[in-house]
Amino acid sequence: MWWRVYALLAKEFLNLLRDKKSRFVLIVPPLVQLFVLSYAATFDLNQMPIAIYNEDTGQASRDLIARFTGAPAFREELRITRQEQIAAALDSRQVLLVLHVGRNFSRDLLGGRQPASLQVLLDGRDSNTAQIAQGYLRSVLSRFNSDWAASRGQAGPPAELVLRAWFNPNLESRWFIVPGIVGLLTLVVTMTVSALSVAREREQGTFDQLLVTPFTPTEILLGKAIPGLIIGVLEASLSIFFAVFWFRVPLLGSLPALYLGIVLYVFSVIGVGLMISSLSLTQQQGLLGGFLVIVPGVILSGYATPIENMPELVQHFTLINPLRYFLVIIRGVFLQGLQTADLLDQYWPLAIIGLFCLSCAGWLFRRRLY
């Protein structure tokens, strides 16, 4: 049996490697997507366009403005001289925020009168961006207040707030995004390969040749599943290599724990892909079926938005999504240093999804054979 399966494996890999389009799809797009998404998909804000309206001529206002213009997060796009220019700058989206320093700002600080007249106007149409910008503002103002008090020997505030971020001390969004991209790219490549596997045989007319061979349906199914498993694991390994050595995402956990999750994840995706392929008569149908699974899978995985924020009914649907469990595994191993024992509750759902889908694919495959 295994010699026959080995012959099928050789045939599958030869079909993939001899076809220029298949080689291109397996290598070039995943690498391009990895780099594009890793650099483009970020929650960090850099060079935010801001406008400055300074009515004060004192040293304090100049120091504060210098901190904003010197911070990597901000870029002075406009210097406002009249109150009427503020609304126009925000309405036209020319700037994200306006820093308004009142005419008595320096005098109030030097005289110890609080609060000093400082106003910030944010464009709140994109609430997420506005909240992130507000965080940067508070950080700059907090450092300014601390330095001002220290340079003049003033007493600090009665209570000091110290913030500490676990698992990502510098709050670099790339540490969170890049491991998720590994799962996303592995899903796309593995689903595409497995969803086209049987459909390609039917469209090219070689499916009938399989029917007259001594292969059993189980052997043919294994011959279709194992190449996808190997390709999926290799694809994930390549993405992890770039995540660690190029994007410098720390890999704190256990490699065996990570690769056990990868194998189970790819196994479950192959099961879904072979189900789609068994139902498809053409490669176009296989691609469409894979697309219909990939898009909801990404949206319901927690990749971009927390699952806890979704409606309760939608949260139940995420339980049958393999990417949901794999994101917990890969982010936990990378950032939290989790081991195999810590991820057992993520492993067994992937195994069940894979076994169920592969069994359904086998049943559908037998129906199409006979």
Side-chain angles (χ1 to χ4, degrees):
M1 169 184 171
W2 290 109
W3 280 110
R4 292 195 294 269
V5 172
Y6 172 77
L8 280 173
L9 293 180
K11 168 186 168 298
E12 289 294 316
F13 279 113
L14 287 174
N15 283 339
L16 287 171
L17 297 178
R18 286 178 176 174
D19 185 5
K20 293 182 180 180
K21 294 181 180 179
S22 297
R23 291 200 305 268
F24 180 85
V25 168
L26 289 176
I27 298 173
V28 178
L31 287 178
V32 173
Q33 292 173 37
L34 175 65
F35 281 90
V36 171
L37 291 175
S38 297
Y39 281 113
T42 175
F43 298 127
D44 297 329
L45 295 180
N46 295 305
Q47 297 295 304
M48 286 182 288
I50 67 173
I52 295 175
Y53 180 30
N54 184 18
E55 293 184 290
D56 183 57
T57 58
Q59 181 64 36
S61 65
R62 291 196 294 271
D63 290 345
L64 178 63
I65 291 172
R67 288 174 182 266
F68 276 94
T69 57
F74 302 107
R75 182 187 79 250
E76 183 180 353
E77 184 73 21
L78 182 65
R79 185 63 68 113
I80 291 177
T81 57
R82 301 190 312 275
Q83 182 81 23
E84 295 76 18
Q85 294 176 291
I86 295 178
L90 290 174
D91 290 343
S92 63
R93 293 186 181 269
Q94 187 177 2
V95 297
L96 180 64
L97 63 90
V98 176
L99 176 66
H100 179 197
V101 183
R103 60 174 54 92
N104 297 324
F105 180 79
S106 297
R107 188 185 66 184
D108 291 344
L109 280 180
L110 291 171
R113 290 186 291 272
Q114 297 294 334
S117 52
L118 177 67
Q119 183 184 35
V120 174
L121 298 98
L122 279 165
D123 183 353
R125 281 170 285 194
D126 186 344
S127 59
N128 291 333
T129 303
Q131 289 177 359
I132 297 172
Q134 188 177 9
Y136 285 119
L137 281 166
R138 288 178 175 174
S139 176
V140 174
L141 289 174
S142 176
R143 288 195 297 269
F144 174 81
N145 288 334
S146 299
D147 293 344
W148 179 272
S151 64
R152 282 155 180 78
Q154 299 177 359
E160 182 181 4
L161 179 63
V162 179
L163 299 177
R164 180 184 177 189
W166 285 11
F167 311 128
N168 190 354
N170 297 323
L171 293 179
E172 295 187 28
S173 61
R174 186 172 295 164
W175 287 16
F176 180 79
I177 290 175
V178 172
I181 293 176
V182 174
L184 191 152
L185 295 181
T186 304
L187 171 67
V188 172
V189 172
T190 307
M191 181 68 71
T192 302
V193 170
S194 56
L196 295 180
S197 179
V198 179
R200 183 175 60 248
E201 298 277 1
R202 289 199 178 99
E203 188 171 322
Q204 293 178 349
T206 57
F207 187 72
D208 293 335
Q209 297 177 11
L210 285 176
L211 300 182
V212 298
T213 61
F215 297 123
T216 65
T218 301
E219 292 170 353
I220 295 175
L221 197 63
L222 286 174
K224 297 293 184 182
I226 294 177
L229 182 66
I230 295 173
I231 290 171
V233 173
L234 291 177
E235 187 68 45
S237 300
L238 180 63
S239 300
I240 289 170
F241 174 84
F242 281 104
V244 173
F245 294 103
W246 183 270
F247 295 105
R248 301 296 180 183
V249 181
L251 179 57
L252 304 178
S254 165
L255 272 178
L258 178 58
Y259 271 89
L260 177 58
I262 290 174
V263 171
L264 291 174
Y265 171 59
V266 174
F267 172 66
S268 63
V269 173
I270 287 172
V272 177
L274 287 177
M275 280 180 56
I276 295 171
S277 192
S278 298
L279 291 169
S280 304
L281 297 177
T282 64
Q283 293 187 74
Q284 185 177 11
Q285 291 178 357
L287 282 174
L288 180 60
F291 178 78
L292 292 176
V293 172
I294 290 172
V295 174
V298 174
I299 295 174
L300 299 178
S301 66
Y303 170 75
T305 57
I307 293 176
E308 294 78 9
N309 292 350
M310 301 177 185
E312 186 175 354
L313 180 61
V314 177
Q315 292 185 34
H316 294 318
F317 282 112
T318 66
L319 296 175
I320 60 174
N321 183 8
L323 185 56
R324 168 204 169 125
Y325 302 102
F326 184 67
L327 289 181
V328 176
I329 293 171
I330 192 168
R331 285 170 174 165
V333 172
F334 264 88
L335 302 180
Q336 296 177 249
L338 298 184
Q339 305 297 318
T340 304
D342 302 317
L343 296 168
L344 293 178
D345 58 337
Q346 306 298 322
Y347 290 147
W348 67 262
L350 287 175
I352 291 177
I353 292 172
L355 289 172
F356 176 79
C357 292
L358 205 59
S359 300
C360 291
W363 180 75
L364 292 170
F365 192 68
R366 289 186 182 92
R367 287 193 62 188
R368 293 301 181 99
L369 278 176
Y370 301 114

